[in-house]
Structure formats: C-alpha cells, structure tokens
Amino acid sequence: MSQIVAREFQRIWLEQAPTIRSNQMALQKQISEYALKLDETLLEHDVVAVCLDNPKLQPLAQATYLPVEEQCGEALQIKPKSKKLKPKSGLWLVDTATKPLKTDLAQWLSNNLNLLDQALQH
C-alpha cells in the first residue's frame, strides 16, 4: 500500500519525489523490523497460533502474517486494547489504531510489541 501511495505522490509532486521515496523506504523498514521482532517474540515463547476476539482484527493479523486459529484453545488471544480490559497471561491487548495516532508509526508498532511482551510475561 505504501508503495502505491508513494508512487502516486511522486507523480503529483515531482520536486518532492526523493523525499517521498526516502520516507516510503523508511516506512517499509519500520514495518519489516516490526514483523521480524514479532516473529522472534512469538518464537521465543513457542506461540504457534493466535485467536482473534473480533473479526475486525483480521486485517491486522493478515498484515503481520500472524498464524490464526478459529478455536482459541491454547492460542494467544488478541483483543482490541481498551480501558475496561486489564493485561493478563495469554491475552494480547492490541492498539488497533482505529483513532488517529498520537505518536508516529514506529512508536505505535513498538507499543504493540510491548503489549505482546506483557501478554507473554504474566
């Protein structure tokens, strides 16, 4: 998606093309680093599958290549982060970014990894 947006912006703002290209490459790097850290964390804790509490989380799972199971069983359960829920073992409270972010993308990704660590440490 970022490649498509960057390509279109470069066509519109030719004079900004190098900056747009650089920003898009930095974004891809951040996402790749997140995916790698996510995989490493899940592997470290022998998490072989996750279970989604809400079908709206499916795009997030697909975008990060999470192995999703239909039945929760022993799988790590994922729920949208809310003030009502408290962190506990086996429950990853994900910041779904359904509202505009108050931080940059790198911080949002890092925060979600920290939330995963919390779910796996309890």
Side-chain angles (χ1 to χ4, degrees):
M1 179 79 128
S2 67
Q3 291 174 341
I4 294 168
V5 172
R7 184 177 57 239
E8 293 303 314
F9 280 169
Q10 288 175 51
R11 286 182 19 190
I12 296 169
W13 293 298
L14 294 174
E15 67 280 358
Q16 296 297 323
T19 301
I20 294 168
R21 188 175 304 111
S22 174
N23 289 345
Q24 192 272 328
M25 289 172 57
L27 174 63
Q28 276 191 294
K29 182 180 180 202
Q30 290 172 342
I31 293 170
S32 294
E33 288 172 354
Y34 168 81
L36 182 61
K37 288 177 185 174
L38 177 65
D39 287 346
E40 288 172 351
T41 302
L42 294 174
L43 187 62
E44 275 178 32
H45 294 277
D46 296 323
V47 175
V48 294
V50 298
C51 178
L52 304 177
D53 174 69
N54 186 323
K56 292 180 180 179
L57 294 172
Q58 190 65 36
L60 175 68
Q62 290 173 333
T64 54
Y65 305 103
L66 289 171
V68 177
E69 276 189 8
E70 294 296 319
Q71 301 296 322
C72 287
E74 296 296 315
L76 175 67
Q77 190 173 9
I78 301 176
K79 289 187 177 196
K81 182 180 173 186
S82 79
K83 293 179 182 176
K84 296 177 186 177
L85 295 172
K86 300 287 184 211
K88 66 178 185 176
S89 181
L91 176 61
W92 182 12
L93 300 174
V94 175
D95 179 353
T96 59
T98 53
K99 296 179 182 176
L101 296 176
K102 294 181 180 177
T103 63
D104 63 9
L105 180 67
Q107 184 60 41
W108 176 75
L109 294 172
S110 178
N111 184 47
N112 273 331
L113 286 174
N114 289 338
L115 292 168
L116 173 59
D117 282 337
Q118 288 177 15
L120 296 172
Q121 298 302 321
H122 284 96

